[in-house]
Amino acid sequence: AQSGHDDQTHSWLVIAVFITEIGASTTMMSTWSLFWHFPDFKSVVAACSSMTHHGLALFPILLSALMRAFGLSFSSVMLGRLVLVVLACICCRYTVPTMEEYR
């Protein structure tokens, strides 16, 4: 859109809104499952869940500052974020107990 391609990018807005809403719903369901998995740490889970919602509001500001400071393109910053998300998923896979461990 910054380059004057609004007619090509406006259709992606609807898809982005739906993906964002799915992510918000998943976060809320994940919070409840984390309460179940970590019953002794309910306040920590609630604080982390709350922090992610408010912390992500700063993400675009930090992203643009990072891009300006290091001269990075948007795609390279998003690729770096993808790597961080994959690493976080791997850590969660081995950290969070499964249902079989509770039976």
Side-chain angles (χ1 to χ4, degrees):
Q2 186 178 20
S3 303
H5 301 290
D6 288 337
D7 56 336
Q8 297 169 354
T9 58
H10 79 281
S11 60
W12 288 99
L13 179 63
V14 175
I15 296 169
V17 167
F18 281 120
I19 290 172
T20 302
E21 288 302 314
I22 290 169
S25 299
T26 305
T27 300
M28 288 311 298
M29 287 185 264
S30 299
T31 301
W32 287 108
S33 68
L34 287 171
F35 284 152
W36 187 77
H37 283 301
F38 301 108
D40 296 335
F41 299 102
K42 288 181 183 172
S43 59
V44 174
V45 169
C48 288
S49 176
S50 219
M51 178 201 59
T52 58
H53 288 291
H54 301 299
L56 285 177
L58 292 175
F59 184 71
I61 297 167
L62 297 174
L63 199 71
S64 67
L66 181 71
M67 289 168 57
R68 262 186 264 117
F70 295 104
L72 299 171
S73 68
F74 182 71
S75 58
S76 63
V77 173
M78 285 290 107
L79 182 62
R81 182 175 186 268
L82 175 66
V83 169
L84 292 175
V85 168
V86 168
L87 289 174
C89 289
I90 291 170
C91 289
C92 286
R93 170 69 177 101
Y94 293 106
T95 304
V96 177
T98 62
M99 294 270 301
E100 286 77 30
E101 293 178 31
Y102 286 98
R103 293 182 184 170

